[in-house]
Amino acid sequence: MLLHGFFDRLTGKNKEAWKEGRIRGTAVLVKQAVLDIGDFSASLLDGVHNILGKDDGVSFVLVSATAPDPSNVTRGKLGNPAHLEEMVVTMKSTAAGESVFKVTFDWDASHGIPGAVLVRNTYRSEFLLKTLTLEGVPGKPDGTVVFVANSWIYPGADRVFFANDTYLPSKMPPLLVQYRQEELNNLRGDSTPREYKEHDRVYRYDYYNDIGDPDKGEEYARPILGGTQELPYPRRGRTGRPPAEKDPKAESRIPVYLVKKALEIYVPRDERFGHLKLSDFLGYSLKAITEAILPIIRTYVDTTPKEFDSFQDIYNLYDGLLQVPDSPALAEIKKKIPFQFIKSILPVAGDDFLNLPLPQVIKSDKFAWRTDEEFTREMLAGVNPVCIKRVTEFPIKSTLDQSVYGDHTSTITEDQIRPYLEEGLTVKQAMESNRLFILDHHDNFMPYLERINKLEGNYIYASRTLLFLKADGTLKPLTIELSLPHPDGIQYGAESTVYPPVKDGVGGQIWQLAKAYASVNDSAWHQLISHWLNTHAVIEPFVIATNRQLSVVHPVHKLLSPHYRDTMNINALARTTLINAGGVFELTVFPGKYALEMSSVVYKDWKLTDQGLPDDLVKRGMAVRDPSSSYGVRLLIKDYPYAVDGLVIWWAIEQWVKEYLAIYYPNDGELRADKELEGWWKEVREVGHGDLKEKAWWPKMQTVEELAKTCTTIIWVASALHAAVNFGQYPYAGYLPNRPTVSRRKMPVEGEKEYAQLEEGGEEADKVFIHTITSQFQTILGITLIEILSKHASDEVYLGQRDTPEWTSDSKALEAFKRFGTRLVEIEKRITAMNQDPSLKNRNGPVNMPYTLLYPNTSDLTGEKGLGLTGMGIPNSVSI
């Protein structure tokens, strides 16, 4: 009888007629076990009898937005508890692992309209509540009320969720105001200064005091970033872990051998959303690198000559020719990391070691990457197209303090570059006609070179690469200057050598090396500044402040929250395995242990107001202000794929933001009356980016225009800018000779063995090049990492998409969002057409590699087109 009753509830056979005074609902849930390794096909059907019914399971209590509670007139009237009744097995779930349940509520017109729901979990474990939808609600024109939760519900505590309506604080139904404030207080957690557990939902700030591991040894100690003017930094999310024993100011670290615990470094629970497919377990990917791949690579390198000797040796990486012996180490690793995952990334004995796909940059032609045309094209359409600048004075001046560093004016002269200018132009004429450009990393690295070059395996130069814009819209290199600190001391300036773009002979081989040294600089700056600091690190304070100060029903919260998805989670994982002392970044990119400290010095000059694309282009001299343009600027290099695509993406985001905010802020007075917004902006400036709080450039946030510009910038950085500098990593740098991350030897000079090898040419010259750049160990480890970091997930949510269609009930907002999506799809067509235009030479280049990093992929509703290493698509957020 009991079993019969259970199946009746499960299949919905014991249906009661809908009675007056009752409304029906459907709840979408995902059980925690579905997101565990090894249980991907499961759903709530497993153990469903434990979650149905009134004695245990899940209860829902509706809260009225319009009818007061007789016992407390400041709050809405409460309905009777309702429970999950039966699973809707005929309803097709929207995603794997989801289960849909019926819920019936006792509710009539006297209760008014529900504006919130209280949810309690008395089940033995947590579950993810996605949505609760009510139908037949009295007083609602369409009878429907939707609660979008997307939140983990743990046993014990009551949770409140609001209907998907949007309210400024002053417009919130009075009967829900206390619930709104209480929920914000819970998220702030300012009264809970302790180590946070998995179930906590506390958003608090901390310094970057967990990068080093002083308890492990002095060589693993790193300076604390943030909290001082000497080493300022954006704030990160607080974990509350106890201090290190040897340095009370540093946070203790989770030992790397505790794989599961390290993966569960605290972030507020809803920031670790949980992906449904094995391939999306980024945490396990990163941990596998440090725990499994890293030691195996070391073993392989220890049993081989430790060097690649030819380009073919490197090319063999992509043919799966690295064999792994049957080792006890691999067997031990499999005990630590779930087998289903290890099988997807690591070999069993006798299988190929790493199944690395062929990077796009060498798919069409193995050696087109070595051409000058491709070298310069990637400054406009590569993985780091955000550093090139227009030259406005000659000789090139330095911004370094002369009282500390001496004179670092460039030694490049007009006589050296005049032979390579075209059309008989002088340097002055080339500058005046906006045809002289530079990739200048001299000042970026010079202050650190003395220390960096004392690290084992480093011989780094500071570089300047001077460029000329040809009539066909492409760039040609004029010269490369390589500099070292003066041997008598940094205060005496630099020792510099200028290398011309020679095509043949030993000069041609020297030129190839000069380009490699310049690429090493650009690779490090890309990873450290363009990627980590300027997207990942600077966005996290906005994530924290938004959750602490803006209610989920606030229009700005609804606007920005999709662009925060998984950011705190990936940043926490990065602190665990990538940017930490001795982590993968220090092992593979030349600044080594000085990397994060360098990024702190760069952050001193960070300005939010420079991060929007039009302002950035103008600052770098790549565009000029033009009121007649839709974008407000005019490009000085017309075929600049990153900027051409980026500007139209920026415009689309800006139009969407302005249209959306106009719905809620019809005038500046409405904005200035918004106390939550005032608190948000105050906390962003004074706490999240508190080390820069005195800077004059901060917007006052007194006008709708200021808010629109700020929100557009946040969305741009989190979506398009991150896509531009992240998803091209493997396509361009998966073949490390194209984007080396380290140089280990000095430039050969006449009379040395290496110079003689260069003179010989062929394989001997190649060997000098290969032995100068990234080592075998660093190459294998580095490309294994960037393969993972360059992939789009199967559940990616792209710009112009939302993971929940019912994110708002506001029809005006939904219409504006639909227009945004339509514009993005039109931009996709535009990009496809430009990539097929042979006159736009920078769109494909010698490597025949179409520029698609800023192709929105909004039209890809299933995620299949962008999945994997496609180098295509703009996800909403910094999520990898």
Side-chain angles (χ1 to χ4, degrees):
M1 183 65 181
L2 288 174
L3 188 62
H4 176 73
F6 161 65
F7 276 108
D8 279 350
R9 286 193 293 159
L10 177 62
T11 58
K13 288 182 179 176
N14 62 338
K15 299 181 189 243
E16 298 178 36
W18 293 105
K19 299 176 182 176
E20 190 69 31
R22 306 181 83 197
I23 56 178
R24 69 186 74 187
T26 53
V28 181
L29 283 71
V30 181
K31 193 178 65 170
Q32 185 270 341
V34 175
L35 303 182
D36 282 344
I37 295 286
D39 196 15
F40 296 97
S41 61
S43 71
L44 279 169
L45 185 61
D46 173 31
V48 70
H49 58 283
N50 292 323
I51 206 167
L52 296 176
K54 299 182 180 181
D55 298 328
D56 53 14
V58 185
S59 68
F60 301 89
V61 174
L62 296 179
V63 182
S64 178
T66 56
D69 188 332
S71 61
N72 185 350
V73 294
T74 63
R75 292 180 182 254
K77 189 173 185 179
L78 301 178
N80 294 325
H83 302 268
L84 300 178
E85 297 171 358
E86 58 191 46
M87 182 183 288
V88 185
V89 293
T90 57
M91 185 179 226
K92 191 173 182 180
S93 295
T94 56
E98 291 182 0
S99 299
V100 181
F101 293 87
K102 284 186 178 179
V103 192
T104 303
F105 296 89
D106 294 326
W107 194 270
D108 57 28
S110 68
H111 288 76
I113 298 174
V117 62
L118 305 178
V119 183
R120 170 169 290 186
N121 176 14
T122 53
Y123 184 50
R124 55 184 167 80
S125 65
E126 73 272 25
F127 62 87
L128 179 71
L129 176 62
K130 299 199 75 174
T131 58
L132 172 66
T133 302
L134 307 181
E135 296 174 355
V137 178
K140 289 288 285 185
D142 64 353
T144 302
V145 174
V146 180
F147 302 90
V148 177
N150 282 331
S151 185
W152 291 94
I153 314 295
Y154 277 75
D158 285 342
R159 293 287 307 282
V160 62
F161 298 100
F162 298 100
N164 62 343
D165 302 316
T166 306
Y167 298 107
L168 293 174
S170 60
K171 306 292 177 64
M172 188 75 175
L175 300 178
L176 301 178
V177 167
Q178 290 184 29
Y179 288 105
R180 178 171 179 153
Q181 191 56 51
E182 287 167 1
E183 177 68 357
L184 283 173
N185 289 338
N186 289 336
L187 293 170
R188 290 169 189 156
D190 293 335
S191 61
T192 56
R194 56 174 171 78
E195 181 173 3
Y196 300 116
K197 305 300 182 185
E198 179 187 288
H199 62 270
D200 281 313
R201 301 168 54 243
V202 172
Y203 292 81
R204 299 184 71 198
Y205 301 92
D206 214 335
Y207 305 128
Y208 274 72
N209 62 351
D210 64 340
I211 301 301
D213 192 357
D215 292 344
K216 192 176 178 180
E218 188 176 340
E219 67 272 28
Y220 290 95
R222 297 290 181 271
I224 293 169
L225 306 182
T228 67
Q229 292 304 300
E230 293 72 30
L231 292 174
Y233 221 61
R235 300 298 185 261
R236 64 168 176 93
R238 179 175 295 188
T239 69
R241 289 203 305 269
E245 293 180 5
K246 294 184 179 178
D247 182 359
K249 293 182 180 179
E251 185 173 277
S252 60
R253 288 186 59 83
I254 301 169
V256 293
Y257 59 83
L258 297 176
V259 177
K260 191 171 188 297
K261 188 174 181 183
L263 286 175
E264 293 171 355
I265 179 174
Y266 174 76
V267 293
R269 186 62 180 96
D270 291 341
E271 299 299 327
R272 184 178 286 120
F273 190 82
H275 300 291
L276 291 176
K277 293 194 177 180
L278 186 61
S279 60
D280 296 336
F281 273 79
L282 175 63
Y284 278 98
S285 301
L286 299 181
K287 205 62 189 172
I289 285 178
T290 53
E291 290 295 294
I293 295 176
L294 184 54
I296 293 175
I297 294 172
R298 289 192 190 278
T299 301
Y300 174 81
V301 171
D302 287 344
T303 58
T304 66
K306 301 188 181 182
E307 290 282 6
F308 297 118
D309 288 327
S310 69
F311 289 115
Q312 185 61 45
D313 285 350
I314 302 173
Y315 201 80
N316 287 344
L317 288 174
Y318 312 104
D319 290 335
L321 297 181
L322 292 180
Q323 298 290 316
V324 178
D326 188 0
S327 74
L330 187 57
E332 189 62 29
I333 288 161
K334 288 180 179 178
K335 294 178 184 177
K336 294 182 179 181
I337 299 177
F339 175 73
Q340 291 93 333
F341 181 81
I342 208 89
K343 189 175 179 182
S344 72
I345 192 168
L346 295 176
V348 295
D351 286 349
D352 294 337
F353 169 39
L354 291 175
N355 186 24
L356 293 168
L358 195 65
Q360 200 172 347
V361 76
I362 54 172
K363 273 187 177 179
S364 178
D365 186 319
K366 283 186 181 182
F367 293 103
W369 63 272
R370 300 199 84 180
T371 62
D372 288 354
E373 292 82 1
E374 182 61 23
F375 173 66
T376 55
R377 183 190 80 94
E378 290 185 21
M379 299 176 196
L380 302 173
V383 73
N384 192 34
V386 295
C387 289
I388 185 173
K389 299 177 182 177
R390 180 164 54 94
V391 175
T392 56
E393 61 178 356
F394 193 88
I396 310 299
K397 297 288 195 298
S398 169
T399 58
L400 296 176
D401 185 346
Q402 286 201 24
S403 66
V404 177
Y405 297 104
D407 185 4
H408 280 262
T409 301
S410 172
T411 61
I412 300 172
T413 66
E414 177 154 3
D415 288 343
Q416 290 169 326
I417 62 174
R418 185 76 180 268
Y420 304 102
L421 293 173
E422 297 183 358
E423 303 168 24
L425 294 176
T426 64
V427 168
K428 183 181 179 183
Q429 290 170 331
M431 283 195 298
E432 289 175 347
S433 57
N434 300 321
R435 297 179 72 177
L436 208 58
F437 297 84
I438 190 169
L439 185 66
D440 190 349
H441 287 300
H442 180 98
D443 292 357
N444 295 337
F445 294 110
M446 182 56 71
Y448 283 86
L449 277 192
E450 193 171 9
R451 282 183 283 169
I452 286 172
N453 283 340
K454 289 178 181 177
L455 297 175
E456 183 181 356
N458 273 359
Y459 203 102
I460 312 297
Y461 294 92
S463 68
R464 289 182 173 117
T465 304
L466 202 58
L467 309 152
F468 177 74
L469 178 63
K470 297 165 61 177
D472 66 358
T474 64
L475 292 170
K476 65 179 288 187
L478 298 173
T479 191
I480 293 175
E481 179 188 62
L482 300 179
S483 304
L484 292 170
H486 197 283
D488 295 333
I490 191 71
Q491 69 273 24
Y492 297 106
E495 255 192 358
S496 303
T497 305
V498 177
Y499 297 94
V502 178
K503 296 292 184 185
D504 304 309
V506 67
Q509 301 294 346
I510 291 286
W511 174 245
Q512 291 295 336
L513 279 170
K515 289 193 294 183
Y517 288 118
S519 294
V520 166
N521 277 190
D522 199 56
S523 292
W525 192 260
H526 161 253
Q527 290 289 13
L528 187 60
I529 307 302
S530 304
H531 187 194
W532 166 255
L533 176 65
N534 286 345
T535 63
H536 285 260
V538 300
I539 283 293
E540 186 158 354
F542 290 98
V543 181
I544 300 169
T546 300
N547 282 281
R548 285 172 55 87
Q549 297 297 333
L550 299 179
S551 167
V552 293
V553 300
H554 194 286
V556 175
H557 190 291
K558 286 181 181 284
L559 174 67
L560 295 178
S561 59
H563 306 287
Y564 299 153
R565 183 181 191 249
D566 279 345
T567 299
M568 291 186 73
N569 190 31
I570 183 57
N571 285 1
L573 289 169
R575 301 197 313 272
T576 303
T577 62
L578 298 183
I579 63 172
N580 58 301
V584 176
F585 191 89
E586 288 192 3
L587 290 172
T588 58
V589 182
F590 76 76
K593 69 179 189 178
Y594 301 112
L596 268 289
E597 181 183 336
M598 283 180 58
S599 71
S600 170
V601 174
V602 174
Y603 175 66
K604 289 180 181 180
D605 296 321
W606 180 83
K607 295 180 181 178
L608 175 66
T609 49
D610 285 346
Q611 303 310 302
L613 181 58
D615 292 299
D616 170 61
L617 292 169
V618 170
K619 181 181 179 182
R620 291 190 283 120
M622 302 303 291
V624 292
R625 299 288 180 193
D626 183 357
S628 67
S629 167
S630 299
Y631 319 125
V633 298
R634 174 171 53 85
L635 289 173
L636 297 179
I637 298 181
K638 292 183 179 179
D639 186 12
Y640 183 179
Y642 162 73
V644 170
D645 296 355
L647 281 172
V648 70
I649 296 290
W650 168 272
W651 170 82
I653 295 171
E654 185 178 50
Q655 293 303 115
W656 150 239
V657 170
K658 286 180 176 179
E659 290 177 21
Y660 177 83
L661 292 178
I663 299 169
Y664 306 102
Y665 297 106
N667 54 65
D668 295 337
E670 196 77 63
L671 181 144
R672 287 193 284 270
D674 187 342
K675 296 302 181 184
E676 283 187 10
L677 190 76
E678 180 183 344
W680 173 70
W681 192 240
K682 178 181 173 67
E683 189 164 288
V684 164
R685 174 174 172 168
E686 296 184 4
V687 185
H689 285 282
D691 297 334
L692 306 180
K693 65 183 177 182
E694 302 301 332
K695 300 292 185 179
W697 51 258
W698 282 101
K700 304 301 182 186
M701 206 54 71
Q702 294 294 299
T703 66
V704 179
E705 183 180 357
E706 285 179 313
L707 177 60
K709 175 80 176 289
T710 298
C711 291
T712 301
T713 301
I714 292 169
I715 294 171
W716 162 260
V717 170
S719 60
L721 178 60
H722 180 258
V725 298
N726 181 77
F727 292 102
Q729 289 184 88
Y730 194 83
Y732 284 101
Y735 186 68
L736 268 195
N738 185 50
R739 297 281 300 175
T741 56
V742 174
S743 53
R744 298 176 287 148
R745 299 180 179 185
K746 71 182 187 69
M747 177 72 85
V749 295
E750 197 167 359
E752 295 177 343
K753 173 189 172 185
E754 288 81 6
Y755 193 88
Q757 288 177 276
L758 293 180
E759 288 182 309
E760 188 174 335
E763 292 183 2
E764 286 301 307
D766 290 348
K767 191 177 295 185
V768 174
F769 182 97
I770 292 164
H771 290 183
T772 297
I773 63 170
T774 316
S775 72
Q776 185 185 68
F777 166 75
Q778 292 168 318
T779 295
I780 301 172
L781 178 59
I783 61 178
T784 303
L785 170 67
I786 63 173
E787 184 202 357
I788 293 166
L789 299 183
S790 302
K791 287 181 176 178
H792 286 288
S794 62
D795 60 352
E796 202 84 84
V797 184
Y798 293 100
L799 194 63
Q801 299 177 352
R802 292 270 177 153
D803 58 2
T804 306
E806 306 88 357
W807 62 275
T808 181
S809 63
D810 192 326
S811 60
K812 290 182 180 178
L814 290 172
E815 289 166 6
F817 188 67
K818 185 177 180 180
R819 288 193 294 273
F820 178 43
T822 300
R823 293 184 189 115
L824 291 171
V825 172
E826 289 302 313
I827 292 169
E828 293 177 4
K829 297 174 184 176
R830 179 177 183 264
I831 290 172
T832 299
M834 286 190 294
N835 283 342
Q836 295 170 351
D837 185 344
S839 70
L840 301 175
K841 297 180 182 298
N842 296 324
R843 302 291 312 188
N844 293 272
V847 294
N848 192 26
M849 188 173 172
Y851 187 74
T852 56
L853 292 174
L854 288 179
Y855 179 94
N857 207 34
T858 309
S859 60
D860 184 10
L861 300 180
T862 64
E864 293 178 2
K865 189 165 67 173
L867 179 62
L869 286 170
T870 57
M872 178 181 69
I874 303 176
N876 271 325
S877 62
V878 180
S879 58
I880 192 167

